[in-house]
Amino acid sequence: MASEDITKLAESLAKTKVGGGQLSFKGQSLKLNTAEDAEEVIKQIEEFDGLEALRLEGNTVGVEAAKVIAKALEKKSELKRCHWSDMFTGRLRSEIPPALISLGDALIAAGAQLVELDLSDNAFGPDGVRGFEALLKSPACYTLQELKLNNCGMGIGGGKILAAALKECHRKSSAQGKPLALKIFVAGRNRLENDGATALAEAFGIIGTLEEVHMPQNGINHPGITALAQAFAINPLLKVINLNDNTFTEKGAVAMADTLKALRQIEVINFGDCLVRSKGAVAIADAVKEGLHKLKELNLSFCEIKRDAALTVAEAIEDKTELEKLDLNGNCLGEEVCEQLHEILEGFNMASVLGSLSDDEGEEDDDDEEEEDEDEEEEEEEEQQQLKERGAEEQESLTPKKIIDSQASTPVPSPPVDVATFLAFPSPEKLLRLGPKCSVLIAQQTDTSDVEKVVATLLRISSVFKDEAPVKTAVHETTDALMKKAFSSATFNSDAFISNLLVHMGLLKSEEKIKTVPSLYGILMTLNHMVQQDYFPKSLAPVLSAFVTKPNRALDSCSFARHMLLQTLHQL
């Protein structure tokens, strides 16, 4: 390391905060690549007697540096709190698991008994969970009370690995007479979806000691929400439930409302931007009215709630003396209902708890009611179709080998799939079952002179994107065939295409009411591939970059995919 670099590092370390058993390197932007880079940090750790908390947030730690820091931690048996969020900035995803393994092994060797582990804002993906899996299963985590994994890009696979590790930790710690008693769980912005949420719900049900659960922006629909609700019902100490920006619909809202009736310690309910809709809001209002006397905050903002349901919610909080905030902003109320809400709450002497209604969408007409019912029906149809497919797959996997052998001469084929079926109810399995010519078939059957149809087809293709190689390849090849055909056509309007796509992504406003895609992850990852291809007009890159850079809640929930796309666009 150059002498000037050492001087800079020494000056930075002079700012290190020490006190209360805590050693903090927080926000010092240290670039620790090699063992030599980490010498001063190691010295601080080694000389700190009674180290109970180590803060490494806002730095970047490489594999070699992690190994030597880990060596220093092997003698720190009193360490209880690891504040290790945002400590791999600029690192390749492949570097993070070995770094985490080194640090975790050190904590195990030291005989530490952790109370808090925070690895938030480290984009390590599913593989990264493997990096601290052994730590979670070890005696070092039998005492864990707070686990924070916000914005890590774990995905479904990572969620399942995490859930299995938590269950194993509980099993092993119970065998020693001191079961894992996790209190706070944070895993927002992780693309857990239904399968990841359901796996974690199983772990939560076994643990049973949770007080706070924060899982916003995870693409969870009502099957996952229902599984979580069932798990929450057997965690009687729950005080905070934050599931903001997932998709309940009526089914998920009703399931969650039933659970709320069984909980007595709830203080904060954050179901904002969860599409609970009017029927779901009424169910939640009933749960609030029946109990929840410790409730301090109720957030049902941006949930497509209409006038009567909103008034029912307001009336339900009459005797909630602890309530500090009621958020109904961004719903479909209209000026008159907004005034009625104020009047109802003034009658309870609670007008001050009502949050701003500045983003109210206005009262909707009967056509919108019908559209909501149609949306529910579409969701039901899609769900039933998926259940049928899963059932067929499960039946096939459960068929005894002898029966398969006896039927070898007349094998039962998988249900046939054509392009129309895939586009109506997209799924990764259907795309793969279309076979090696799926890209050609979809491109042939799409009218590329119609911008709207091209956008709709692209969004359906990208919606099934997964990091798994076969699916990713199929999505990329199908996208390439479609968009190469479109962009090579003299009549195709590229500017209209990008505008239409941005509208459907919810990044550009439209005068017409357009149903936006529920998750941007698939289309962002697909665009990341598209913009690198020769057929993509480079003139569209600045436009795309401008809109993806803007603050947007939907984009925030896909921070990893957004970062990947912006990085690629900046390199063009």
Side-chain angles (χ1 to χ4, degrees), residues 88-143:
F88 296 111
T89 304
R91 299 289 168 187
L92 296 173
R93 279 176 62 174
S94 59
E95 293 181 85
I96 301 176
L100 287 173
I101 289 170
S102 296
L103 294 168
D105 287 349
L107 297 176
I108 297 169
Q113 293 185 313
L114 295 185
V115 173
E116 180 179 359
L117 176 62
D118 186 355
L119 293 171
S120 298
D121 300 315
N122 291 310
F124 46 60
D127 294 339
V129 185
R130 294 284 187 199
F132 59 94
E133 180 185 13
L135 173 63
L136 280 181
K137 294 179 179 179
S138 77
C141 284
Y142 290 178
T143 50

Side-chain angles (χ1 to χ4, degrees), residues 63-317:
V63 176
E64 293 306 313
K67 285 180 181 178
V68 291
I69 291 172
K71 195 69 179 173
L73 290 176
E74 286 180 359
K75 298 176 183 178
K76 301 299 175 181
S77 61
E78 297 176 10
L79 187 62
K80 292 180 174 63
R81 298 184 181 274
C82 298
H83 301 281
W84 295 349
S85 64
D86 189 24
M87 62 178 253
F88 296 111
T89 304
R91 299 289 168 187
L92 296 173
R93 279 176 62 174
S94 59
E95 293 181 85
I96 301 176
L100 287 173
I101 289 170
S102 296
L103 294 168
D105 287 349
L107 297 176
I108 297 169
Q113 293 185 313
L114 295 185
V115 173
E116 180 179 359
L117 176 62
D118 186 355
L119 293 171
S120 298
D121 300 315
N122 291 310
F124 46 60
D127 294 339
V129 185
R130 294 284 187 199
F132 59 94
E133 180 185 13
L135 173 63
L136 280 181
K137 294 179 179 179
S138 77
C141 284
Y142 290 178
T143 50
L144 195 64
Q145 295 180 14
E146 302 180 28
L147 179 58
K148 300 174 181 177
L149 300 166
N150 201 56
N151 193 31
C152 292
M154 289 190 291
I156 294 171
K160 289 182 176 179
I161 297 167
L162 175 61
L166 288 172
K167 288 191 287 185
E168 182 70 2
C169 180
H170 187 272
R171 185 186 68 78
K172 288 182 175 179
S173 57
S174 297
Q176 293 194 3
K178 293 183 179 180
L180 171 67
L182 191 66
K183 294 181 179 180
I184 298 174
F185 180 83
V186 181
R189 301 182 183 180
N190 270 294
R191 299 183 285 108
L192 294 170
E193 300 181 20
N194 290 333
D195 289 349
T198 301
L200 286 167
E202 187 178 335
F204 296 162
I206 292 169
I207 293 168
T209 56
L210 289 167
E211 295 181 11
E212 296 185 20
V213 175
H214 303 263
M215 295 174 66
Q217 299 181 347
N218 268 299
I220 309 170
N221 299 326
H222 74 78
I225 296 297
T226 300
L228 288 172
Q230 291 168 348
F232 293 165
I234 42 183
N235 280 265
L237 302 177
L238 265 174
K239 296 178 181 178
V240 178
I241 302 177
N242 175 8
L243 294 174
N244 189 286
D245 201 6
N246 288 292
T247 307
F248 282 42
T249 62
E250 181 189 345
K251 288 184 179 178
V254 169
M256 195 60 70
D258 288 341
T259 285
L260 291 174
K261 292 176 182 178
L263 300 174
R264 294 288 178 265
Q265 306 300 321
I266 291 291
E267 296 178 3
V268 177
I269 298 172
N270 186 346
F271 297 160
D273 206 9
C274 281
L275 202 67
V276 303
R277 293 181 174 148
S278 294
K279 292 178 182 177
V282 169
I284 292 168
D286 288 344
V288 171
K289 191 171 185 176
E290 287 184 22
L292 305 187
H293 295 293
K294 295 184 179 182
L295 188 63
K296 293 181 180 179
E297 181 178 335
L298 175 59
N299 183 349
L300 294 174
S301 60
F302 299 93
C303 280
E304 292 191 7
I305 300 169
K306 298 185 175 63
R307 52 171 297 151
D308 292 342
L311 296 175
T312 301
V313 171
E315 289 165 354
I317 67 167

Side-chain angles (χ1 to χ4, degrees), residues 24 28 62 64 71 100 171 179 212 215 219 243 270 272 295 357 389 416 427 438 450 464 472 485 487 503 568 570:
S24 176
Q28 294 184 20
E64 293 306 313
K71 195 69 179 173
L100 287 173
R171 185 186 68 78
E212 296 185 20
M215 295 174 66
L243 294 174
N270 186 346
L295 188 63
L357 297 172
E389 289 171 8
S427 73
C438 63
D450 188 328
V464 307
K472 182 195 287 188
K485 178 185 174 186
F487 285 126
V503 167
T568 301
H570 290 155

